[in-house]
Amino acid sequence: MKRLIVYYSLSGNTEKAVKTIAEQLECDTLKIETRKPMPKSFAAQILVGGGQVAMGIVPALKPIEKNLEAYDEVIIGTPIWNSKCVPAVNAFLKDESICCKVTGLILTSGGGGTEKCLAALRDKIPNLKHTVSLLDPKLADSAQNGEKISKFIEDCR
């Protein structure tokens, strides 16, 4: 079975988790990016990203450079913004044929909102089997991230 992890990462936290998981599962990765990049300053990122989430904006993505048809399963990696997945991931999940291939979610958060995000994604992803929720490495509770990643990898095998 050929597996792909598709992810969006602004600060690098999601990307770090995805790379760790992809190495263990021996699968490919694909970082999705919006055509219009996010602002450089953190304050502007919060305003723009939070505004996109609040208004349900689905941005255009840069072209995908992998043949998605070649993969049997897809895992999605997304940060949580305002208790929802990021707009770039919503743009990727507009394709129902892709949604049917998604079996796992890697959620990263600095402030919670995991349950709301997961509930919204479950409605889009009919074959979801495995999830992991990770905290920003700067937070004290993030010490459990390694254990959570190990369990997620075990469940996916």
Side-chain angles (χ1 to χ4, degrees):
M1 172 179 28
K2 196 165 181 186
R3 187 180 286 151
L4 174 70
I5 302 178
V6 176
Y7 69 98
Y8 178 86
S9 186
L10 184 60
S11 68
N13 292 335
T14 304
E15 184 167 43
K16 184 177 178 186
V18 162
K19 289 191 176 196
T20 298
I21 292 167
E23 184 178 310
Q24 294 293 313
L25 290 177
E26 298 177 350
C27 61
D28 296 336
T29 62
L30 170 65
K31 183 176 184 178
I32 55 174
E33 298 179 89
T34 57
R35 286 193 182 166
K36 184 176 180 183
M38 290 292 284
K40 297 289 183 206
S41 82
F42 182 69
Q45 289 172 351
I46 290 173
L47 288 173
V48 171
Q52 287 178 343
V53 169
M55 294 188 298
I57 294 172
V58 179
L61 297 177
K62 288 184 178 179
I64 305 292
E65 297 183 8
K66 290 199 186 278
N67 176 10
L68 301 176
E69 296 297 319
Y71 294 92
D72 303 305
E73 283 190 14
V74 174
I75 296 172
I76 300 291
T78 182
I80 297 173
W81 294 353
N82 289 349
S83 300
K84 297 180 181 169
C85 77
V86 295
V89 169
N90 284 326
F92 183 77
L93 292 174
K94 282 174 60 175
D95 183 341
E96 286 184 30
S97 66
I98 293 297
C99 290
C100 290
K101 290 186 176 192
V102 176
T103 60
L105 288 173
I106 303 163
L107 305 173
T108 58
S109 172
T114 302
E115 292 306 316
K116 274 180 110 173
C117 179
L118 188 54
L121 287 170
R122 280 189 195 280
D123 289 341
K124 293 180 185 181
I125 303 170
N127 298 313
L128 184 61
K129 299 174 189 165
H130 315 290
T131 64
V132 63
S133 177
L134 307 170
L135 293 173
D136 186 316
K138 297 178 201 124
L139 300 174
D141 291 342
S142 69
Q144 298 173 1
N145 283 355
E147 186 178 314
K148 289 178 180 180
I149 288 173
S150 294
K151 183 174 179 345
F152 180 77
I153 291 167
E154 183 181 312
D155 290 347
C156 288
R157 287 194 169 143

